């Protein structure tokens, strides 16, 4: 396969455009029709030789059943071959080898790499160093884009149009990477999302803010006042035209609209397990979805989805309920991943298939980067940038995210995509620092090289910077006691 500029990586669901996602679905549907099992319409029963010249590597540093085996089954059904490293204890990671080196080596053994890793941002790091396409099979609590493709496809197969779909998401919304990819996609396709988090497991703030600021979701409803009979529970409402600046005007969100939305029945309930491996305290209360929960009229026709595995939060008594779609959802892992592999490798030449364009979906934000050891570092303790073995391979890289509406600046880690909201900007030549970010208003990839960011004022001072004249920091410093 050709390496280099046309290498396509799927690290986040946002690396795929809506059209590309629809293409994956078209191709998956084509495989189901051509190669499906006659008795089980969601099962692939036969193979092709489309990818017979290709090898897929599955590089898994965390437990997996569905993701790894469905990728491997998909590659075998495409006529390709697979190599696998599923136990970090028996790979060179146990000797301390960096992920960056591992994927560089693997790029000579395989034509695409599927990676799963406990650290958020690991898949993006792998993509930086691999010469072949990298597909994220789940990285920490960051994202799991191919699970989302299975989830959306399952919904579509219930004859559900993603636009206007009303979806409840239940459980550990903070730790579940599947949820993070899923909510971005739902927002992009114009669905309504009702979060039903376990206590303390709400969506991470950066995901919530991204839904509102980048995908134009509006939050309506919220906690009910005792005498308020009209408001509904909190719900993300997405505009008719995702990515169009038109948005909703406030009058669109009037009471009638809110009431009609609250009357609308749910189309789906998405359940997730408690991600105990990502929490210190494993003894927290957790909601259960069972027949009693689904008895509510609002769930009368809702499909029940779960990425699996389940560990008690989804009653097995529901398995025979017509609304239960989770085993079908897991079965779609094969046609969906066949489609993704075929598209990433570009192995279909019939003309029916479109090949993905090269590279990532381009970001609109300015990328700031600096060597490790100076200035700001990602504050997510589970980010791959914190790993000792990767230190020589990683730069501190952040997107400078400017939200015009609130005139707020944030730094978004290039790898794990968590945000830093409070920081100092310092001028490398003039040696001042400040919290006033207005100087960054027209920053470009070139002009940003004049600046360095620090988390704390003290860090900036230690690095030899002084408060900028006329700024609050400067006034505080000059009126303070002399030492
Ligand atoms: C999910 C994962 O690994 O994030 N599993 C999967 O791929 N279907 C969900 C989970 O582990 O809870």
């Amino acid at each position: 396969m050709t390496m280099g500029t046309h290498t396509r990586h799927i690290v986040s669901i946002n690396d795929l455009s809506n059209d590309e996602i629809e293409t994956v679905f078209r191709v998956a549907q084509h495989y189901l029709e051509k190669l499906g099992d006659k008795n089980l319409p969601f099962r692939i029963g036969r193979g092709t030789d489309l990818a017979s010249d290709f090898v897929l590597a599955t590089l898994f540093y965390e437990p997996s059943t569905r993701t790894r085996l469905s990728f491997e089954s998909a590659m075998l059904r495409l006529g390709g071959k697979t190599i696998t490293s599923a136990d970090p204890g028996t790979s060179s990671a146990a000797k301390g080898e960096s992920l960056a080196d591992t994927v560089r080596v693997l790029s000579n053994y395989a034509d695409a790499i599927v990676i799963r890793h406990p650290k958020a941002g690991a898949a993006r790091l792998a993509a930086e160093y691999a010469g072949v396409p990298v597909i994220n099979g789940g990285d920490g609590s960051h994202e799991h884009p191919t699970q989302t493709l299975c989830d959306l496809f399952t919904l579509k197969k219930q004859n559900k149009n993603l636009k206007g779909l009303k979806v409840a998401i239940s459980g550990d919304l903070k730790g579940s990477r599947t949820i993070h990819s899923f909510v971005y996609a739902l927002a992009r396709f114009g669905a309504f999302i009702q979060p039903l988090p376990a206590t303390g497991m709400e969506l991470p703030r950066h995901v919530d803010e991204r839904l509102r600021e980048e995908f134009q979701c509006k939050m309506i409803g919220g906690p009910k006042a005792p005498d308020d009979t009209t408001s509904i529970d909190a719900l993300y409402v997405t505009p008719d035209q995702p990515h169009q600046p038109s948005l909703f005007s406030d009058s669109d969100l009037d009471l009638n609209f809110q009431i009609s939305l609250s009357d609308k029945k749910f189309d789906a309930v998405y359940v997730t397990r408690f991600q105990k491996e990502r929490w210190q305290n494993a003894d927290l209360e957790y909601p259960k979805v069972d027949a009693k929960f689904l008895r509510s009229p609002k769930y009368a026709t809702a499909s029940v989805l779960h990425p699996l595995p389940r560990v008690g939060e989804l009653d097995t008594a529901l398995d025979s309920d017509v609304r239960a779609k989770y085993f079908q959802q897991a079965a779609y892992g094969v046609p969906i991943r066949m489609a993704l592999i075929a598209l990433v490798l570009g192995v279909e030449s019939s003309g029916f298939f479109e090949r993905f364009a090269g590279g990532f979906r381009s970001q609109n934000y300015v990328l700031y980067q600096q060597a490790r050891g100076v200035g700001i570092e990602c504050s997510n303790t589970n980010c791959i940038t914190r790993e000792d073995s990767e230190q020589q391979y990683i730069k501190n890289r952040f997107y400078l995210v400017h939200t015009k509406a609130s005139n707020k600046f944030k730094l978004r880690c290039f790898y794990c995509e968590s945000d830093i909201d409070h920081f100092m900007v310092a001028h490398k030549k003039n040696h001042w620092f400040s919290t006033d970010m207005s100087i960054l208003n027209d920053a470009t990839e070139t002009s940003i090289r004049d600046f360095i960011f620090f988390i704390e004022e003290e860090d900036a001072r230690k690095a030899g910077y002084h408060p900028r004249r006329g700024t609050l920091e400067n006034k505080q410093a000059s009126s303070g006691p002399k030492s």
Side-chain angles (χ1 to χ4, degrees):
M1 96 155 280
T2 4
M3 307 226 291
T5 50
H6 293 295
T7 303
R8 183 61 191 258
H9 309 288
I10 315 295
V11 171
S12 158
I13 193 68
N14 298 320
D15 288 331
L16 291 168
S17 68
N18 287 17
D19 279 352
E20 287 173 333
I21 292 174
E22 299 276 11
T23 301
V24 173
F25 296 159
R26 270 212 321 278
V27 177
Q29 180 57 31
H30 176 70
Y31 288 145
L32 277 174
E33 284 162 19
K34 208 171 95 181
L35 307 168
D37 182 328
K38 294 224 162 30
N39 301 316
L40 288 173
F42 39 79
R43 181 177 184 276
I44 293 287
R46 282 167 301 131
T48 107
D49 59 0
L50 281 176
S52 57
D53 288 340
F54 295 88
V55 175
L56 177 77
T58 49
L59 179 61
F60 277 53
Y61 294 88
E62 248 194 0
S64 168
T65 304
R66 269 151 295 274
T67 305
R68 185 168 67 82
L69 295 182
S70 64
F71 260 113
E72 293 182 5
S73 174
M75 187 58 175
L76 295 171
R77 295 290 196 197
L78 285 171
K81 291 161 194 71
T82 64
I83 52 175
T84 190
S85 168
D87 177 3
T90 62
S91 79
S92 288
K95 302 178 190 167
E97 187 179 46
S98 68
L99 178 60
D101 276 357
T102 304
V103 296
R104 277 197 286 209
V105 169
L106 269 194
S107 302
N108 295 312
Y109 302 166
D111 303 295
I113 302 169
V114 182
I115 181 174
R116 169 169 289 188
H117 201 282
K119 298 285 166 185
R124 190 66 82 193
L125 173 70
E128 266 193 301
Y129 283 90
V132 297
V134 168
I135 301 174
N136 185 3
D139 60 331
S141 51
H142 174 224
E143 280 208 45
H144 194 346
T146 68
Q147 179 63 48
T148 294
L149 295 174
C150 302
D151 305 339
L152 298 182
F153 188 68
T154 309
L155 290 171
K156 279 190 82 105
K157 294 290 284 179
Q158 317 311 312
N159 291 326
K160 291 185 172 166
N161 188 350
L162 298 177
K163 192 168 153 201
L165 206 72
K166 196 170 162 196
V167 183
I169 47 171
S170 162
D172 182 359
L173 312 189
K174 191 179 172 87
S176 296
R177 53 196 173 202
T178 62
I179 290 279
H180 305 156
S181 300
F182 189 49
V183 293
Y184 294 143
L186 288 176
R188 285 171 43 190
F189 280 98
F192 304 124
I193 309 161
Q194 171 136 56
L196 300 175
T199 310
M201 300 182 201
E202 292 78 17
L203 283 176
R205 196 157 56 84
H206 68 271
V207 175
D208 164 77
E209 286 185 1
R210 218 167 153 189
L211 287 175
R212 296 165 191 259
E213 291 162 6
E214 275 165 54
F215 301 114
Q216 289 101 39
C217 287
K218 293 232 175 188
M219 179 60 94
I220 62 167
K224 275 188 180 176
D227 56 348
D228 178 1
T229 52
T230 52
S231 77
I232 61 170
D233 292 334
L235 185 73
Y236 291 97
V237 172
T238 53
D240 278 354
Q241 300 285 316
H243 303 303
Q244 297 301 310
S246 59
L247 308 187
F248 287 109
S249 66
D250 280 345
S251 60
D252 287 332
L253 284 170
D254 68 12
L255 208 55
N256 289 339
F257 177 74
Q258 294 198 30
I259 293 169
S260 69
L261 199 55
S262 66
D263 282 348
K264 186 176 173 339
K265 286 187 168 25
F266 279 91
D267 299 286
V269 184
Y270 192 97
V271 190
T272 53
R273 79 181 162 95
F274 173 50
Q275 305 282 306
K276 66 176 182 342
E277 65 275 39
R278 311 194 201 291
W279 289 83
Q280 303 281 336
N281 182 357
D283 227 8
L284 301 168
E285 219 178 292
Y286 206 75
K288 183 162 179 164
V289 170
D290 53 15
K292 186 165 164 256
F293 175 95
L294 289 181
R295 211 167 291 141
S296 157
K298 58 187 176 181
Y299 299 122
T301 53
S303 299
V304 181
L305 268 63
H306 192 309
L308 302 178
R310 62 177 160 188
V311 286
E313 69 289 336
L314 178 64
D315 198 342
T316 53
L318 292 175
D319 295 358
S320 52
D321 191 302
V322 285
R323 292 167 291 182
K325 300 294 173 203
Y326 29 91
F327 289 116
Q328 196 170 326
Q329 183 186 357
Y332 287 138
V334 177
I336 282 289
R337 289 175 173 123
M338 284 172 77
L340 194 68
I341 296 167
L343 287 160
V344 161
L345 294 176
V347 292
E348 185 54 65
S349 57
S350 65
F352 174 79
F353 299 94
E354 292 151 48
R355 192 181 169 167
F356 289 147
F360 296 121
R361 189 182 70 102
S362 61
Q363 287 273 354
N364 300 324
Y365 304 118
V366 169
L367 184 65
Y368 158 78
Q369 41 188 338
Q370 115 227 324
R372 299 278 297 164
V374 243
I376 210 156
E377 288 181 9
C378 179
S379 53
N380 174 2
T381 50
N382 196 46
C383 179
I384 189 72
T385 56
R386 300 295 199 96
E387 278 294 270
D388 287 347
S389 59
E390 312 304 326
Q391 291 310 307
Q392 294 168 61
Y393 303 88
I394 278 174
K395 282 189 172 171
N396 278 323
R397 293 175 141 197
F398 297 90
Y399 288 110
L400 180 69
V401 177
H402 184 197
T403 310
K404 296 236 161 68
S406 57
N407 198 24
K408 252 180 24 191
F409 284 91
K410 293 190 273 204
L411 291 174
R412 174 170 305 151
C413 176
F414 173 79
Y415 298 96
C416 76
E417 298 192 284
S418 65
D419 293 337
I420 299 177
D421 300 277
H422 301 289
F423 52 93
M424 314 268 140
V425 57
H427 195 281
K428 284 183 189 159
K429 263 204 216 119
N430 300 339
H431 274 87
W432 53 252
F433 69 85
S434 171
T435 49
D436 177 4
M437 299 293 152
S438 57
I439 190 138
L440 299 171
N441 277 341
D442 302 311
T444 62
E445 221 115 280
T446 313
S447 73
I448 202 153
R449 292 193 203 131
D450 295 338
F451 298 98
I452 183 165
F453 296 100
F454 294 95
I455 265 282
E456 304 283 354
E457 189 175 322
E458 204 189 323
D459 302 335
R461 287 181 191 276
K462 269 196 204 137
Y465 292 84
H466 56 76
R468 191 178 190 188
R469 271 184 240 299
T471 60
L472 192 62
E473 296 85 11
N474 182 266
K475 282 183 192 127
Q476 276 166 353
S478 51
S479 62
K482 285 195 176 136
S483 55

